[in-house]
Amino acid sequence: MAHSKVILKILFSLCVWSFVIIGLFKMHGTNLVPQDYRQVPQEYQQLPLNGRSLLQKDMLRYAETTSTTTDHFDPSEILVDNRTAMDDDQLVRDVESRIPSLPIAYWSKNKNFLQQKSATCAKYPSIFELEFNNIYWQTMHTSNGTFQLFGAYYDIRRASLLGPTVRILGMIDRIEPKVKTYCQFWFDGQKEPFIVKTFEYKYIWYNKWGNYKQGIYQPYLIACQIPKPFHGVVPSSVSMVEKECDTATNNLRVIYNRPPDDHKKGFAVCVKGLDFLYDDLSVRLIEWIEMLNILGADKIYFYNLQVHPNITKVLNHYEQEGKVQVIPLTLPGGQPNVPGFQHLYLTKKTNHKRQNEVIPYNDCLYKNLYLYDYIALLDIDEVIMPKGNSILWSELMDKARPESLKFKPDGYHSYNFRNVYFLDDQQHEHGWHKDIPKYMHMLQHVHRAKNYTKPNQYVKCFHDPERVLTLHNHFPLSCLGGVCKSYPVDTEDAQLQHYRADCVKTLKKSCEEYRENSVEDKTIWKYKDELIRRTIKTLETLGFFRRSGGPGFGGSSSGLGGGATTHSTER
């Protein structure tokens, strides 16, 4: 009996403790679930209580990472572009700035008028029906060759025997093209085009330079004369067709840039398509731009293929200051434009590279026909350096031009400057100049070859845009009024200072002589203080100097203190 009472007491105690434990679970069960149950994914909400409790830690971490609280952030500080959307007029202006050859403003203004039925056999092509090639080129297919057209320009220079003319710059995959073509001129307010035969295809190359074969795109300047009833009127656009009545697959805005007061500036510099995807020449470029600006370059026009991000940073800075203009560029036809592959192509296919360079040179000439007294084609490792008492380019030409008239009273088409090499290793043998920052490449390199390259070899020129017709890197190829005449400026007055690691390949035999016979030439030091001041200011503005506690601009670990590695810009 006593034994039975003990057993009952034990069972009663177990029951009481069971109820207590169950109660505790019910009271505190919610603590096993994340506080913000709504933040748990739906699939986890369906798990039974014990399953959720096993995932408690994971769910809490999930809730933390997906929290949308703004307790620690001010939404007004979010840095996004809050500009209002462009209207149609703004969009038209933006597209025209990106593709200068596209007559989008004229088309947008007159599209309803131009689409009306007319008696003409040719209709104005919609800009959406044009055939583009590699962004900036427009295409015309003919029965004998394909044309890739880059730009069209209004030419009313007094020395031209053709009278008012539209010049069209492009490439044709034919040598001596035989196909007959027509220009369809579109004038503002005219519903029908005025159609004329193409006057000529002017080859911007010499046969002996190579690549003289069918199927390779060759550079040409195409001329179409404006009919007499429209003399004094600038066409809004021009199309090229094989048959008069064809609806064109190309339509180029006719470019006619003229200063508002008809007052020309002094000097423009044109730089071929930049191909420096892997070479960070940004600091060298700053020194070069500042040097040219000191000498009197009013503006530098850069054509841009592929460049290092630091170079883009530099160009954007100077473009905002109005000192340079950057024109994007591609290669036409089937030539590569993929970064890296394009660079490989241009380094291996030298003649193709040279022929392509002709396009930006002549585009730069024709866009600036009426804006400058002189146009120079320079690479970023070249400087036309005044000597003697001349400090500025204007002072140099004030001396050289009157002297040239003694030999040719009616004047010259261009003025050329002898090339002399400032090779890298010539300076390295003499050490560094302590009062000049090491990264100032031109100021540091003041030892040059004693001998200049031969007359008329590797020279660069100041071209008279009123008188030259087509340009090549070193000389004008054709001129208005007859054979091109270039005046050789005396080396006592100026020289072309060429900063390179090595000579061009065609001068390999002479290069050793240039190295072995060097002289000190500190002509550039006339500008030393001002050039250092300007360069340092720009480097500082762009954040190129290393700050204590972190890397400088571009993440470089080398800073600007060491000796510069040089790269050839004429490959």
PDB file of all heavy atoms in Angstrom, residues 446-463:
ATOM      1  N   VAL A 446      67.636  66.883 -73.666  1.00  0.00           N
ATOM      2  CA  VAL A 446      68.193  68.032 -74.382  1.00  0.00           C
ATOM      3  C   VAL A 446      69.492  67.661 -75.113  1.00  0.00           C
ATOM      4  O   VAL A 446      70.332  68.515 -75.372  1.00  0.00           O
ATOM      5  CB  VAL A 446      68.422  69.230 -73.428  1.00  0.00           C
ATOM      6  CG1 VAL A 446      67.094  69.816 -72.985  1.00  0.00           C
ATOM      7  CG2 VAL A 446      69.261  68.823 -72.227  1.00  0.00           C
ATOM      8  N   HIS A 447      69.654  66.382 -75.433  1.00  0.00           N
ATOM      9  CA  HIS A 447      70.741  65.946 -76.312  1.00  0.00           C
ATOM     10  C   HIS A 447      70.107  65.338 -77.556  1.00  0.00           C
ATOM     11  O   HIS A 447      69.234  64.469 -77.461  1.00  0.00           O
ATOM     12  CB  HIS A 447      71.640  64.924 -75.617  1.00  0.00           C
ATOM     13  CG  HIS A 447      72.575  65.557 -74.621  1.00  0.00           C
ATOM     14  ND1 HIS A 447      72.184  65.889 -73.352  1.00  0.00           N
ATOM     15  CD2 HIS A 447      73.877  65.942 -74.736  1.00  0.00           C
ATOM     16  CE1 HIS A 447      73.203  66.439 -72.699  1.00  0.00           C
ATOM     17  NE2 HIS A 447      74.242  66.485 -73.524  1.00  0.00           N
ATOM     18  N   ARG A 448      70.558  65.796 -78.700  1.00  0.00           N
ATOM     19  CA  ARG A 448      69.984  65.356 -79.963  1.00  0.00           C
ATOM     20  C   ARG A 448      71.079  64.900 -80.906  1.00  0.00           C
ATOM     21  O   ARG A 448      72.274  65.096 -80.659  1.00  0.00           O
ATOM     22  CB  ARG A 448      69.194  66.492 -80.612  1.00  0.00           C
ATOM     23  CG  ARG A 448      70.043  67.698 -81.012  1.00  0.00           C
ATOM     24  CD  ARG A 448      69.261  68.611 -81.930  1.00  0.00           C
ATOM     25  NE  ARG A 448      69.940  69.865 -82.259  1.00  0.00           N
ATOM     26  CZ  ARG A 448      70.843  70.017 -83.216  1.00  0.00           C
ATOM     27  NH1 ARG A 448      71.249  68.964 -83.929  1.00  0.00           N
ATOM     28  NH2 ARG A 448      71.381  71.204 -83.460  1.00  0.00           N
ATOM     29  N   ALA A 449      70.639  64.273 -82.008  1.00  0.00           N
ATOM     30  CA  ALA A 449      71.583  63.914 -83.063  1.00  0.00           C
ATOM     31  C   ALA A 449      72.191  65.194 -83.645  1.00  0.00           C
ATOM     32  O   ALA A 449      71.497  66.204 -83.827  1.00  0.00           O
ATOM     33  CB  ALA A 449      70.877  63.123 -84.149  1.00  0.00           C
ATOM     34  N   LYS A 450      73.460  65.141 -83.921  1.00  0.00           N
ATOM     35  CA  LYS A 450      74.128  66.312 -84.496  1.00  0.00           C
ATOM     36  C   LYS A 450      73.577  66.626 -85.878  1.00  0.00           C
ATOM     37  O   LYS A 450      73.391  67.791 -86.242  1.00  0.00           O
ATOM     38  CB  LYS A 450      75.640  66.053 -84.585  1.00  0.00           C
ATOM     39  CG  LYS A 450      76.432  67.217 -85.136  1.00  0.00           C
ATOM     40  CD  LYS A 450      77.925  66.908 -85.170  1.00  0.00           C
ATOM     41  CE  LYS A 450      78.720  68.078 -85.727  1.00  0.00           C
ATOM     42  NZ  LYS A 450      80.181  67.773 -85.770  1.00  0.00           N
ATOM     43  N   ASN A 451      73.302  65.577 -86.652  1.00  0.00           N
ATOM     44  CA  ASN A 451      72.841  65.750 -88.034  1.00  0.00           C
ATOM     45  C   ASN A 451      71.324  65.628 -88.135  1.00  0.00           C
ATOM     46  O   ASN A 451      70.713  64.773 -87.490  1.00  0.00           O
ATOM     47  CB  ASN A 451      73.493  64.706 -88.938  1.00  0.00           C
ATOM     48  CG  ASN A 451      74.990  64.899 -89.024  1.00  0.00           C
ATOM     49  OD1 ASN A 451      75.491  66.014 -88.958  1.00  0.00           O
ATOM     50  ND2 ASN A 451      75.721  63.799 -89.163  1.00  0.00           N
ATOM     51  N   TYR A 452      70.761  66.457 -88.980  1.00  0.00           N
ATOM     52  CA  TYR A 452      69.337  66.356 -89.300  1.00  0.00           C
ATOM     53  C   TYR A 452      69.138  65.231 -90.321  1.00  0.00           C
ATOM     54  O   TYR A 452      70.073  64.838 -91.020  1.00  0.00           O
ATOM     55  CB  TYR A 452      68.840  67.666 -89.912  1.00  0.00           C
ATOM     56  CG  TYR A 452      68.853  68.845 -88.956  1.00  0.00           C
ATOM     57  CD1 TYR A 452      70.030  69.546 -88.706  1.00  0.00           C
ATOM     58  CD2 TYR A 452      67.692  69.261 -88.314  1.00  0.00           C
ATOM     59  CE1 TYR A 452      70.048  70.629 -87.839  1.00  0.00           C
ATOM     60  CE2 TYR A 452      67.697  70.336 -87.446  1.00  0.00           C
ATOM     61  CZ  TYR A 452      68.878  71.011 -87.207  1.00  0.00           C
ATOM     62  OH  TYR A 452      68.888  72.080 -86.350  1.00  0.00           O
ATOM     63  N   THR A 453      67.908  64.713 -90.401  1.00  0.00           N
ATOM     64  CA  THR A 453      67.613  63.825 -91.525  1.00  0.00           C
ATOM     65  C   THR A 453      67.657  64.659 -92.810  1.00  0.00           C
ATOM     66  O   THR A 453      67.614  65.894 -92.771  1.00  0.00           O
ATOM     67  CB  THR A 453      66.234  63.150 -91.364  1.00  0.00           C
ATOM     68  OG1 THR A 453      65.243  64.149 -91.098  1.00  0.00           O
ATOM     69  CG2 THR A 453      66.246  62.167 -90.214  1.00  0.00           C
ATOM     70  N   LYS A 454      67.743  64.000 -93.939  1.00  0.00           N
ATOM     71  CA  LYS A 454      67.963  64.693 -95.214  1.00  0.00           C
ATOM     72  C   LYS A 454      66.816  65.662 -95.513  1.00  0.00           C
ATOM     73  O   LYS A 454      65.685  65.460 -95.071  1.00  0.00           O
ATOM     74  CB  LYS A 454      68.097  63.672 -96.343  1.00  0.00           C
ATOM     75  CG  LYS A 454      69.347  62.821 -96.246  1.00  0.00           C
ATOM     76  CD  LYS A 454      69.400  61.798 -97.370  1.00  0.00           C
ATOM     77  CE  LYS A 454      70.659  60.923 -97.256  1.00  0.00           C
ATOM     78  NZ  LYS A 454      70.720  59.902 -98.342  1.00  0.00           N
ATOM     79  N   PRO A 455      67.119  66.710 -96.286  1.00  0.00           N
ATOM     80  CA  PRO A 455      66.052  67.646 -96.677  1.00  0.00           C
ATOM     81  C   PRO A 455      64.883  66.913 -97.329  1.00  0.00           C
ATOM     82  O   PRO A 455      65.068  65.970 -98.100  1.00  0.00           O
ATOM     83  CB  PRO A 455      66.752  68.572 -97.683  1.00  0.00           C
ATOM     84  CG  PRO A 455      68.194  68.523 -97.298  1.00  0.00           C
ATOM     85  CD  PRO A 455      68.441  67.115 -96.820  1.00  0.00           C
ATOM     86  N   ASN A 456      63.691  67.328 -96.974  1.00  0.00           N
ATOM     87  CA  ASN A 456      62.442  66.761 -97.504  1.00  0.00           C
ATOM     88  C   ASN A 456      62.141  65.346 -97.006  1.00  0.00           C
ATOM     89  O   ASN A 456      61.190  64.726 -97.484  1.00  0.00           O
ATOM     90  CB  ASN A 456      62.419  66.782 -99.037  1.00  0.00           C
ATOM     91  CG  ASN A 456      62.517  68.190 -99.596  1.00  0.00           C
ATOM     92  OD1 ASN A 456      62.042  69.146 -98.971  1.00  0.00           O
ATOM     93  ND2 ASN A 456      63.147  68.332-100.748  1.00  0.00           N
ATOM     94  N   GLN A 457      62.940  64.826 -96.076  1.00  0.00           N
ATOM     95  CA  GLN A 457      62.649  63.507 -95.494  1.00  0.00           C
ATOM     96  C   GLN A 457      62.146  63.670 -94.058  1.00  0.00           C
ATOM     97  O   GLN A 457      62.803  64.320 -93.240  1.00  0.00           O
ATOM     98  CB  GLN A 457      63.898  62.635 -95.496  1.00  0.00           C
ATOM     99  CG  GLN A 457      64.256  62.066 -96.849  1.00  0.00           C
ATOM    100  CD  GLN A 457      65.307  60.971 -96.745  1.00  0.00           C
ATOM    101  OE1 GLN A 457      65.895  60.724 -95.707  1.00  0.00           O
ATOM    102  NE2 GLN A 457      65.559  60.305 -97.865  1.00  0.00           N
ATOM    103  N   TYR A 458      60.974  63.103 -93.788  1.00  0.00           N
ATOM    104  CA  TYR A 458      60.385  63.079 -92.442  1.00  0.00           C
ATOM    105  C   TYR A 458      60.147  64.482 -91.893  1.00  0.00           C
ATOM    106  O   TYR A 458      60.144  64.700 -90.682  1.00  0.00           O
ATOM    107  CB  TYR A 458      61.260  62.259 -91.480  1.00  0.00           C
ATOM    108  CG  TYR A 458      61.573  60.893 -92.026  1.00  0.00           C
ATOM    109  CD1 TYR A 458      62.816  60.615 -92.607  1.00  0.00           C
ATOM    110  CD2 TYR A 458      60.607  59.898 -92.029  1.00  0.00           C
ATOM    111  CE1 TYR A 458      63.083  59.373 -93.154  1.00  0.00           C
ATOM    112  CE2 TYR A 458      60.867  58.651 -92.568  1.00  0.00           C
ATOM    113  CZ  TYR A 458      62.099  58.392 -93.131  1.00  0.00           C
ATOM    114  OH  TYR A 458      62.356  57.148 -93.681  1.00  0.00           O
ATOM    115  N   VAL A 459      59.944  65.450 -92.786  1.00  0.00           N
ATOM    116  CA  VAL A 459      59.662  66.811 -92.356  1.00  0.00           C
ATOM    117  C   VAL A 459      58.192  66.910 -91.915  1.00  0.00           C
ATOM    118  O   VAL A 459      57.380  66.038 -92.197  1.00  0.00           O
ATOM    119  CB  VAL A 459      59.924  67.823 -93.491  1.00  0.00           C
ATOM    120  CG1 VAL A 459      61.371  67.757 -93.939  1.00  0.00           C
ATOM    121  CG2 VAL A 459      58.979  67.566 -94.674  1.00  0.00           C
ATOM    122  N   LYS A 460      57.866  67.976 -91.235  1.00  0.00           N
ATOM    123  CA  LYS A 460      56.485  68.353 -90.982  1.00  0.00           C
ATOM    124  C   LYS A 460      56.309  69.804 -91.399  1.00  0.00           C
ATOM    125  O   LYS A 460      57.280  70.572 -91.455  1.00  0.00           O
ATOM    126  CB  LYS A 460      56.120  68.157 -89.509  1.00  0.00           C
ATOM    127  CG  LYS A 460      56.009  66.687 -89.104  1.00  0.00           C
ATOM    128  CD  LYS A 460      54.920  65.971 -89.873  1.00  0.00           C
ATOM    129  CE  LYS A 460      54.832  64.484 -89.597  1.00  0.00           C
ATOM    130  NZ  LYS A 460      54.264  64.176 -88.297  1.00  0.00           N
ATOM    131  N   CYS A 461      55.047  70.174 -91.691  1.00  0.00           N
ATOM    132  CA  CYS A 461      54.791  71.464 -92.336  1.00  0.00           C
ATOM    133  C   CYS A 461      53.727  72.279 -91.625  1.00  0.00           C
ATOM    134  O   CYS A 461      52.855  71.733 -90.932  1.00  0.00           O
ATOM    135  CB  CYS A 461      54.302  71.246 -93.775  1.00  0.00           C
ATOM    136  SG  CYS A 461      55.411  70.330 -94.845  1.00  0.00           S
ATOM    137  N   PHE A 462      53.804  73.590 -91.847  1.00  0.00           N
ATOM    138  CA  PHE A 462      52.655  74.470 -91.680  1.00  0.00           C
ATOM    139  C   PHE A 462      52.027  74.597 -93.067  1.00  0.00           C
ATOM    140  O   PHE A 462      52.666  75.094 -94.009  1.00  0.00           O
ATOM    141  CB  PHE A 462      53.076  75.852 -91.175  1.00  0.00           C
ATOM    142  CG  PHE A 462      53.461  75.893 -89.720  1.00  0.00           C
ATOM    143  CD1 PHE A 462      54.475  76.731 -89.289  1.00  0.00           C
ATOM    144  CD2 PHE A 462      52.800  75.115 -88.783  1.00  0.00           C
ATOM    145  CE1 PHE A 462      54.823  76.786 -87.949  1.00  0.00           C
ATOM    146  CE2 PHE A 462      53.153  75.146 -87.443  1.00  0.00           C
ATOM    147  CZ  PHE A 462      54.161  75.987 -87.024  1.00  0.00           C
ATOM    148  N   HIS A 463      50.793  74.134 -93.214  1.00  0.00           N
ATOM    149  CA  HIS A 463      50.111  74.154 -94.515  1.00  0.00           C
ATOM    150  C   HIS A 463      49.207  75.379 -94.613  1.00  0.00           C
ATOM    151  O   HIS A 463      48.549  75.760 -93.630  1.00  0.00           O
ATOM    152  CB  HIS A 463      49.261  72.891 -94.687  1.00  0.00           C
ATOM    153  CG  HIS A 463      50.032  71.615 -94.593  1.00  0.00           C
ATOM    154  ND1 HIS A 463      50.786  71.129 -95.628  1.00  0.00           N
ATOM    155  CD2 HIS A 463      50.170  70.726 -93.565  1.00  0.00           C
ATOM    156  CE1 HIS A 463      51.354  69.982 -95.261  1.00  0.00           C
ATOM    157  NE2 HIS A 463      50.996  69.720 -94.015  1.00  0.00           N
TER     158      HIS A 463
END
